[in-house]
Every structure is written in structure tokens, then in C-alpha cells.
């Protein structure tokens, strides 16, 4: 199972919306809904932001939403805030788990 | 409250062995998989593998099979990640996670530094 493909960086201004993509194959992202997203601030442990493509854990802002189309999953953040600046990772689980390479979100 | 509390930072020499730990609390330890995730300096997340303490079922990423050993001691609700012979390339932060096809709880991370 190869690593999932994410853009290295995305940016947006406060209040705007951004979308981070996560591309796999028909054997992982395309065939299963076991896609999750994590946020990591510098020096901190990652935090679960989305599970099973679009399930938002308790306590995560409803500005975060997830979706999937074909072999690509997406995380959308609306109403960007300065605190959203972080690294974001997707993952997909089949018999093992694989992460994407990570996307650095910069809030301009 | 669910917590995953990891052992402290380690500094080792190449060739030495090491075992780091992760204590789960606030939930039924034997009812959830526990996994390990590596993050090398300045790099992304890598999944090493998981163990189901209930029956010791263990699965490894093909990239890490044979490189590390994952185990658990149910009597003290603790999972372990161990190396028999460390390499400089093992230098990283290692996170333990509660695994449910996704990782809902993370430990604080254990920094392992391997240097001569």
C-alpha cells in the first residue's frame, strides 16, 4: 500500500475556505470509507479531525468537513482562522494503514 | 477520560536495544487495538503497526515488519514498541495511538535519539 498523495502546501486568508485533497487508488480510498484526517501543530501530537470520510469527532469545529469522490478524499475548512494553520494528514485503512505525505496550511 | 501516556525520551547508541511504553487508561484496554506511529525529524507520519491486547493479534506495516516488535501487558494496560538493534535512522518521535481504523487518541510522543 503506497502513501497517499496530498499537496505539499495550501494557503488561504482568514474567512476563506480551502480544500485539501488526498488521492489514493481503487484499492484503498476508492474502495473503502476508512479515510481519516489529522491536524498537527508544531511540536504537538496529531489530533483526529475526521473519521470514516465525513464523521466529525465531538469537539471538532463544524467548519471542518470531509468528502470523497472516486479515489480522492477531501478535507474542507471554511471560515479560515489563524489557529487552523497547521500540518494536515489523511490516512486510509485496509488491512494496514497508510498516511498521506502531509499538507502545510498557511493562513495568510 | 481516555489517556495514552508514553514513557520518556531516550538517547541510545547504534546497536543498542530499546523498549518504550504506552499506558492506556479510561477505557477497556483489551477492547481496542493500540498502534504506533513514527515521525522522523521534519517529516510526515508513518504507521508501524498495531496490537489487539484482547488476543495479542499483531499487524505490521510491510515497511516495518522485522524491524520492530509490538507487544502488550494487559495486567498493567501497557503496550510496548521495541528494537533489538537500533540504527541512527531510528531517530524519531514515536506516538502510540488508540486504533479503530482511525486514531482517536494519541500519546504525547516519545523522542528516541540514536547517536554515537
Amino acid at each position: 500500500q503506497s502513501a497517499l498523495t496530498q499537496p505539499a502546501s495550501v494557503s488561504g486568508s482568514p474567512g476563506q475556505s480551502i480544500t485539501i485533497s488526498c488521492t489514493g487508488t481503487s484499492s484503498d480510498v476508492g474502495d473503502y470509507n476508512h479515510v481519516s484526517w489529522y491536524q498537527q501543530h508544531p511540536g504537538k501530537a496529531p489530533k483526529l479531525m475526521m473519521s470514516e470520510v465525513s464523521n466529525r469527532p465531538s469537539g471538532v469545529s463544524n467548519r471542518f468537513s470531509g468528502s470523497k469522490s472516486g479515489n480522492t478524499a477531501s478535507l474542507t475548512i471554511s471560515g479560515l482562522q489563524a489557529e487552523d494553520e497547521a500540518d494536515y494528514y489523511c490516512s486510509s485503512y485496509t488491512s494496514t494503514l497508510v498516511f498521506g505525505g502531509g499538507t502545510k496550511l498557511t493562513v495568510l | 477520560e481516555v489517556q495514552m501516556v508514553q514513557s520518556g525520551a531516550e538517547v541510545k547508541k547504534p546497536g543498542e536495544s530499546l523498549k518504550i511504553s504506552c499506558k492506556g487508561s479510561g477505557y477497556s484496554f483489551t477492547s481496542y487495538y493500540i498502534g504506533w506511529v513514527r515521525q522522523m525529524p521534519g517529516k510526515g507520519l508513518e504507521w508501524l503497526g498495531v496490537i489487539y491486547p484482547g488476543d495479542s493479534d499483531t499487524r505490521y506495516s510491510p515497511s516495518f515488519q522485522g524491524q520492530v516488535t509490538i507487544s502488550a501487558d494487559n495486567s498493567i494496560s501497557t503496550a510496548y514498541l521495541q528494537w533489538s538493534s537500533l540504527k541512527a535512522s531510528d531517530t524519531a518521535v514515536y506516538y502510540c495511538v488508540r486504533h479503530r481504523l482511525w486514531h482517536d487518541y494519541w500519546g504525547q510522543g516519545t523522542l528516541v535519539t540514536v547517536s554515537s
Side-chain angles (χ1 to χ4, degrees):
Chain A
Q1 195 175 6
S2 302
L4 307 175
T5 301
Q6 298 181 233
S9 63
V10 298
S11 63
S13 299
Q16 288 186 331
S17 294
I18 63 95
T19 296
I20 301 172
S21 62
C22 170
T23 301
T25 69
S26 58
S27 299
D28 43 53
V29 174
D31 206 25
Y32 298 91
N33 285 331
H34 305 321
V35 176
S36 52
W37 290 90
Y38 304 88
Q39 176 193 64
Q40 186 179 35
H41 288 109
K44 300 294 188 182
K47 173 187 175 183
L48 177 68
M49 304 302 286
M50 202 71 59
S51 65
E52 298 296 271
V53 176
S54 59
N55 290 342
R56 196 172 50 247
S58 173
V60 173
S61 170
N62 59 10
R63 296 185 298 105
F64 291 81
S65 61
S67 62
K68 189 183 84 167
S69 177
N71 298 338
T72 298
S74 299
L75 178 71
T76 297
I77 309 174
S78 60
L80 265 182
Q81 298 180 0
E83 68 206 47
D84 299 331
E85 185 163 294
D87 294 326
Y88 291 84
Y89 296 89
C90 63
S91 74
S92 175
Y93 184 85
T94 54
S95 57
T96 59
L97 187 143
V98 65
F99 287 103
T103 298
K104 182 176 181 58
L105 169 61
T106 301
V107 180
L108 303 170
Chain B
E1 178 193 10
V2 174
Q3 288 190 310
M4 315 294 287
V5 178
Q6 299 183 228
S7 50
E10 301 274 0
V11 179
K12 292 288 190 179
K13 289 180 167 42
E16 292 186 332
S17 62
L18 176 65
K19 193 174 190 178
I20 62 175
S21 67
C22 169
K23 183 175 176 62
S25 63
Y27 71 99
S28 174
F29 182 76
T30 55
S31 298
Y32 293 85
Y33 280 86
I34 290 184
W36 291 92
V37 175
R38 181 176 85 171
Q39 188 166 38
M40 299 175 74
K43 301 298 184 182
L45 304 176
E46 299 173 277
W47 191 78
L48 278 68
V50 291
I51 187 166
Y52 188 70
D55 62 7
S56 297
D57 175 43
T58 309
R59 305 178 188 187
Y60 294 94
S61 162
S63 300
F64 291 95
Q65 179 84 46
Q67 308 304 306
V68 296
T69 301
I70 296 172
S71 60
D73 184 340
N74 295 348
S75 68
I76 54 173
S77 301
T78 299
Y80 302 96
L81 177 66
Q82 69 180 91
W83 297 259
S84 58
S85 181
L86 287 160
K87 301 184 286 286
S89 58
D90 292 318
T91 294
V93 174
Y94 293 85
Y95 294 100
C96 69
V97 295
R98 194 175 77 164
H99 173 83
R100 303 173 60 189
L101 306 182
W102 58 88
H103 302 325
D104 54 358
Y105 291 94
W106 293 66
Q108 81 275 23
T110 296
L111 174 62
V112 173
T113 303
V114 184
S115 174
S116 55

